[in-house]
Amino acid sequence: MTAINSVVDLGRDGEIAIVTVNSPPVNALSADVRDGLAGAFAAIAGDSSVKAVVLACAGRTFIAGADISEFGKPPRGASLPAVQDAIEGAPVPVIAAIHGTALGGGLEVALTAHYRVSDARAKFGLPEVKLGLLPGAGGTQRLPRVVGAKQALAMVTSGTPIGAKAALAAGLIEEIVEGDLTAGAVAFARKVVAEGRPLKRIRDDASKLGGDAASLAPMFAEFRAANARAFKGFDAPEANIKCIEAAVALPFDEGLKVERSEFMKLMTGLQSAAQRHVFFAERQAAKIDGLPADTQPLPIASVGIIGAGTMGGGIAMNFLSVGIPVTIVETKQEALDRGIAVIRRNYENSAKKGRFSMEEVEARMARLTPSLSLDDLHSVDLVIEAVFENMAIKKEIFGKLDRIAKPGAILASNTSYLNVDEIASATARPESVLGMHFFSPANVMRLLEVVNGARTSKQALATAMAVGKQIGKIGVVSGVCHGFIGNRMLGKRQEQANKLILEGARPADVDRVLVEFGFPMGPFQMSDLAGLDIGWSADTSKGETVRDRLCEAGLRGQKNGKGFYDYDADRNRTPSPVAEQIILDYAAEKGINRREIDDQEILERCLYPMVNEGAKILDEGMAQRASDIDIVWINGYGWPVYRGGPMFWAEHDAGRETIAAALERMGMDVSPRLKAGF
Ligand code: 3HC
């Protein structure tokens, strides 16, 4: 075996050359990998004893894509198209041997090979759209020439990979290899040589496209219409569609030019920069600053959940779904039965949609133990308390848990606002206490704020983050402050939204501006959805706020069809004249001068104070880094991913200085970090 460079080797098995990429962790196409591949294929082209080539990767995966960390930097080394030309133009058959994930540029390299084989677990995809991009190395032109325009369209716009079986059925690979992949690929290469099979260059064969521009036009039109909602706001899906259309309508090289030009537009745009930021931010969020390298998270083999309401039930589902048994505790049999029934119904609905079998529903339910006694939590590894937001009750529960739970068990509260240190003070083991703040619906939303108390041990923190990952959440570490990262910032937005509707904006205007910005819904739609009466009581209401008065007038939000909006049976909404009058009366009573408020002011007043609060959260060390705040807002509150999160948006779009100046004009206390940089 010859080392071409530090990451690419060239070996031999008789007359078959074996090119191996070995660039951990994911064999991304860095300059070194490209140089190595160029060198290897140059050597092969000059060696007449080579009859075929196997291109394989060491480690956990085939090439997982271009090296995203190189994007936006000056180009170095061999270009990817040059490497692909060398593979596609090789004088002998090249067989890609694929395991792990052949993604993006990785799959595009494989598509320049003449044949592809894989192991049974390999996955194939063009996920560039998730980075605000399109496959820029011929993927949009070659993939439809293999799997047809229709399937290629679905793959490039969703970014979702397909498995080996589907790849075989679609003609993307020739064979699934059982046993050793490289050996199987070498055997396949010998077969190709022995049978004198041709060098199959995908670029030369348009027969699988599935039609021409005219015959496929209705398919493209239908696809656009069917996905209009999902693609709203994003630039990349439409650019991907255009490229597949070009593959159908144009000769290969012309199609490549369209791909190149669309790729460059996306690559230099803000949306892709934002989405690439999010890719790395998500991985960064998992890292705990100052965690000693030898910290081992505790194994979590069983979980106790206190409260079988909406949150408790949703939280339980996360664990049941990944095979971890849960004991769920309620105070009354009726509430317990209701909670269990909701969990079962949710699972059954998923099964009806074909996500898994009815046996799987039963398997998950079998992991659930209902209980009316906290004593039943004596042996679990992790307890998550999910009762309503009342400090006295939480302290009472944690006091009891302290006596019941086994030593070392992690005791977590799902509080959304309350002081975790005070909750911990009810125990003699504050090192085991922390917050695990899930977002509703807790079985769906990916965000998990892990609240690090003043005395929480590093090991407990690491355990909560690790178990979060195990149940498919994106954990973000937060310090103890009112509302933690997400709700603390949300509070600032709500404060302004509430003022805006008194000063002259209509709730529907505030909602519309934020929806146009990219949020799935605005603050008043959100209030109606959550229920206006959360935390409100008729006995204590003094009509002090607009919300008090809405509730006093019987407006409860979506649940009774009346809130800031009126809802019909299909949940279509129209602004409520009753709510409007209540707002007008309230403003008049408080002597607020109403005026025209334009969309720009609505946007600035809703978002700038949020960014400022984010900066204060950093000032106080409540978040580890600005990008963590972005992850919270994208995954917990629907901040549009193509805008990168509030801190990215402030830095790269709205401008920190512009925001600081506007906040000063609004008379607000501006965070030093907003001026100095995050
Ligand atoms: N470039 C640079 N670094 C990458 C990378 C890439 N394409 N893919 C993964 N990494 C890094 C991650 O940042 C992470 O680094 P860290 O350990 O320092 O945090 C490390 O590799 C491991 O990644 P994961 O933690 O995500 O590992 P998993 O095993 O969970 O997942 C994976 C592996 C499925 C390959 C996943 O990393 C992934 O989806 N990667 C991105 C794939 C992708 O989007 N490819 C297309 C790139 S764009 C492109 O190819 C353009 C072309 O068309 C020209």
Side-chain angles (χ1 to χ4, degrees), residues 25-26 60 64 66-68 105 108 127-128 131 135-136 279-280 283 287:
V26 297
R60 66 201 221 208
D67 186 339
I68 309 170
E108 292 175 293
E128 284 84 346
L131 300 170
F279 176 85
F280 287 115
R283 282 152 182 82
K287 295 176 182 143

Side-chain angles (χ1 to χ4, degrees), residues 213-258:
S215 69
L216 289 174
M219 188 274 290
F220 283 107
E222 267 169 42
F223 188 81
R224 280 193 173 93
N227 291 288
R229 238 184 103 182
F231 297 162
K232 193 174 147 248
F234 289 89
D235 295 338
E238 177 56 27
N240 272 280
I241 299 174
K242 274 193 196 152
C243 290
I244 304 291
E245 279 179 327
V248 168
L250 301 174
F252 184 83
D253 285 316
E254 295 302 309
L256 265 193
K257 281 186 199 153
V258 174

Side-chain angles (χ1 to χ4, degrees), residues 506-592:
R506 295 180 329 142
D509 291 330
V510 177
D511 285 344
R512 176 182 49 76
V513 167
L514 290 170
V515 169
E516 282 171 8
F517 181 79
F519 283 100
M521 64 177 80
F524 298 105
Q525 287 165 267
M526 207 162 109
S527 303
D528 274 1
L529 182 65
L532 296 177
D533 55 351
I534 287 191
W536 176 85
S537 140
D539 302 335
T540 51
S541 183
K542 295 201 189 81
E544 277 168 357
T545 63
V546 167
R547 206 180 63 145
D548 280 352
R549 292 191 188 182
L550 294 173
C551 288
E552 286 166 11
L555 277 60
R556 298 287 145 84
Q558 274 201 26
K559 65 174 97 162
N560 74 345
K562 291 183 238 168
F564 286 101
Y565 299 88
D566 289 326
Y567 298 85
D568 68 15
D570 297 324
R571 297 221 187 129
N572 295 313
R573 56 171 191 279
T574 42
S576 156
V578 178
E580 175 115 34
Q581 196 56 50
I582 289 174
I583 295 165
L584 288 175
D585 292 347
Y586 187 93
E589 193 184 303
K590 300 280 170 195
I592 297 168

Side-chain angles (χ1 to χ4, degrees), residues 606-646:
C606 286
L607 300 189
Y608 288 4
M610 256 178 59
V611 170
N612 193 31
E613 200 62 19
K616 289 183 185 176
I617 284 171
L618 290 171
D619 287 334
E620 296 165 22
M622 293 296 159
Q624 298 192 105
R625 42 190 97 86
S627 63
D628 281 10
I629 298 177
D630 291 336
I631 291 304
V632 165
W633 269 80
I634 286 170
N635 294 289
Y637 300 83
W639 181 283
V641 61
Y642 55 82
R643 293 193 198 272

